[in-house]
Structures are given as C-alpha cells and as structure tokens.
Amino acid sequence: MAWLVGNPLLGPFAEFGFMRDALLGCVALSLSAAPLGVFLMLRRMSLTGDAMAHAILPGAAIGYLVSGLSLTAMTIGGIAAGLTVAVGSGLVARNTVLREDTSLAAFYLLSLALGVLIVSVRGNSVDLLHVLFGTVLALDNAALTLLGGISATTLVALALLYRPLVLECLDPGFLRQVSRWSPVAHYGFLGLLVINLVAGFHALGTLMAVGIMVLPAATARFWVRRLGPLLLLATALALLACLSGLLISYHADWPTSPVIVLTLGAMYLLSLLFAPQGALRHQRPASSHLQA
C-alpha cells in the first residue's frame, strides 16, 4: 500500500476519503451533464444554460436563508427558482414583443443580483464562496446520493426522450406537426437542465456548473460528426477533466472547481486548433452537418 499512497496519480484517492467522494460526485455529474450539454449545444441553447445556471441562485440562497447550508432546502429552492425563470421567460416571450433570449437575460440578471444580495447580507464571505464556487471537496453522503439520483434520472429520461429530442434539434416544427411528444421533449429537457444545474451547483458552484455541460460538448464536436460518438466522447472528456482537475488542484493547492473548468477549457482550445474539424486542420466538406 505504501507505493499506492506515494503514487501522484492514485495516492490522493487512496489516502483521502474526501478525494474519493469528490471523484464519485464528479463522475455522477459528468455522466448526466455532458450528454445533456450535447443536446444543449445542438439546440443552440448554450448561453441559455449559462443563464439558467445563474437563475437558480436566489432559490438556493432563500433555502440557505431558511435552513442554512441544508442540502434539501437549497436543492428545492434552486429547482423552484430555475423552473420559475424558465417558465416566466417563456411566458414573457409568448405574450410581449420581447424575444425569449431577451426575457431570459432579464430574468437571469435579476435572479443573480437577488441571490448574491441575499447571501451577502445574511451570510458571510465563506458562505458566498460556497454558493458561487461549490464545495466539491466537501461532498458528503447526502450530496453524493443526490448527485447519483439526478444522474440516474437524467440518463433514463434521455433514453426515453432520445428520438424526440433528436428530432427537435433537427426540425422542431416537424416534430410539433407529427408527434405529441414535442411539448414533453421541450419541457422535459428544460426540467432535466434545471436539476442538473442544481447538481452542478452543489459540486462546482453556480458560476461553474454550466462549464461541465457546454465545454465537453463543444470540444467533442471538433472530433466527431455522428451523434452517438459525440455523446460518448463528451462524457469521456468530462470524466477526464474532472480526474485531471482534482489531481492538479490537490498537488498545486488550487481551488478545485475553477481548475476543472480550466482543464475543460484547455481541451477545448487544443481541439479548436488541432482536431480534424478544428481551425488549423479543418477543410470544409460539401456538407458539415451533424449526422444522427
């Protein structure tokens, strides 16, 4: 066992329980958030995901205000706030002259400001950092159970909604005409987005949660064109970045959540330059559309 503890790659996980818990939480999050991020990218909603990640903040802050750093209260509050913003921005877009991106931006800015205000006034700087940047190295059994449950729910839902989700990415108008699954796919996807952002909030914080969705999907798109391999590669990249980020943050004594997202960002930049469909090597074919 001495060689294992001294190993720079395996030693931190063999020696410290909090590193093993952090890895388990990141694995659960990667398995659900990365595939969801692929559909987020294909629906051209990547910035919507970022806005929704900030929109859950006031609900989580109110949960914190009522019960302190309670996993249950902050989870319920975050889900309620995320769904409120998603539905509210949609209603504004359908009943006023504003487009959905503008109404979502307005709701997101109000939510972010309100959440930061609540935590800043009623909490302290440590609590604010916990909310904004997460506590992936302090995940307990309850948090791991929540992350695992959200991951399992998301994977099952994606399997059930796979075909309508793909059709909605390609031609939402056609799906509305030929199938009753259109509203189920649309609102089901938004629901999955919200609960995964809440899961990411507990692990990586509200400022970093969307990174594990968007960056693996965008990076994988430079390498593959078919949807199945795209989903698998995005998940693998998220897992690799989480493992690398945990090890780098441990050895360098840096904050973990930003390191994980920066690792994903490094993968994205390298793929942007050197992948088959990256900036330096890509020769635009006659058809560059994604293949299902």
Side-chain angles (χ1 to χ4, degrees):
M1 288 297 292
W3 70 269
L4 186 61
V5 172
N7 189 299
L9 297 180
L10 300 178
F13 302 106
E15 188 174 359
F16 299 107
F18 70 86
M19 289 292 291
R20 293 192 295 273
D21 291 342
L23 181 61
L24 286 175
C26 287
V27 167
L29 189 59
S30 298
L31 291 175
S32 60
L36 201 66
V38 171
F39 288 104
L40 197 68
M41 176 185 68
L42 296 180
R43 293 161 65 103
R44 297 177 176 86
M45 291 176 61
S46 296
L47 289 178
T48 299
D50 183 58
M52 291 298 298
H54 295 79
I56 67 176
L57 182 56
I62 292 173
Y64 163 79
L65 184 64
V66 173
S67 303
L69 295 175
S70 166
L71 180 71
T72 302
M74 295 178 74
T75 298
I76 294 174
I79 292 174
L83 292 176
T84 298
V85 169
V87 174
S89 61
L91 290 175
V92 169
R94 286 170 174 79
N95 295 285
T96 70
V97 297
L98 292 181
R99 294 174 62 89
E100 189 167 12
D101 59 338
T102 306
S103 62
L104 182 62
F107 274 90
Y108 133 68
L109 290 170
L110 290 171
S111 298
L112 179 60
L114 178 60
V116 172
L117 177 65
I118 292 173
V119 178
S120 299
V121 171
R122 299 304 298 267
N124 54 50
S125 59
V126 175
D127 296 331
L128 182 59
L129 289 174
H130 168 89
V131 171
L132 295 180
F133 298 105
T135 53
V136 68
L137 295 182
L139 295 175
D140 55 16
N141 290 335
L144 290 175
T145 300
L146 174 68
L147 293 176
I150 288 176
S151 179
T153 300
T154 301
L155 291 175
V156 171
L158 287 177
L160 293 175
L161 297 175
Y162 181 80
R163 289 178 63 85
L165 280 176
V166 172
L167 281 175
E168 191 174 41
C169 292
L170 298 174
D171 192 342
F174 175 75
L175 179 63
R176 285 193 295 268
Q177 291 178 359
V178 303
S179 175
R180 297 178 181 179
W181 281 88
S182 178
V184 176
H186 180 75
Y187 291 107
F189 179 80
L190 287 178
L192 293 176
L193 176 62
V194 170
I195 64 173
N196 275 271
L197 288 173
V198 170
F201 157 78
H202 285 300
L204 302 179
T206 186
L207 294 182
M208 302 290 167
V210 75
I212 202 168
M213 288 187 181
V214 174
L215 287 172
T219 303
R221 185 63 183 89
F222 288 124
W223 294 94
V224 296
R225 294 176 58 191
R226 298 188 64 85
L227 182 55
L230 182 60
L231 292 167
L232 293 175
L233 181 56
T235 303
L237 289 171
L239 291 170
L240 178 60
C242 287
L243 177 61
S244 302
L246 285 170
L247 289 171
I248 292 171
S249 69
Y250 172 81
H251 290 295
D253 196 21
W254 290 345
T256 307
S257 298
V259 171
I260 290 175
V261 176
L262 284 173
T263 303
L264 286 166
M267 292 178 178
Y268 171 81
L269 292 175
L270 290 173
S271 299
L272 173 65
L273 293 175
F274 302 112
Q277 300 182 74
L280 297 183
R281 298 182 57 189
H282 178 48
Q283 299 294 324
R284 186 174 296 276
S287 174
S288 59
H289 294 297
L290 183 75
Q291 300 176 10

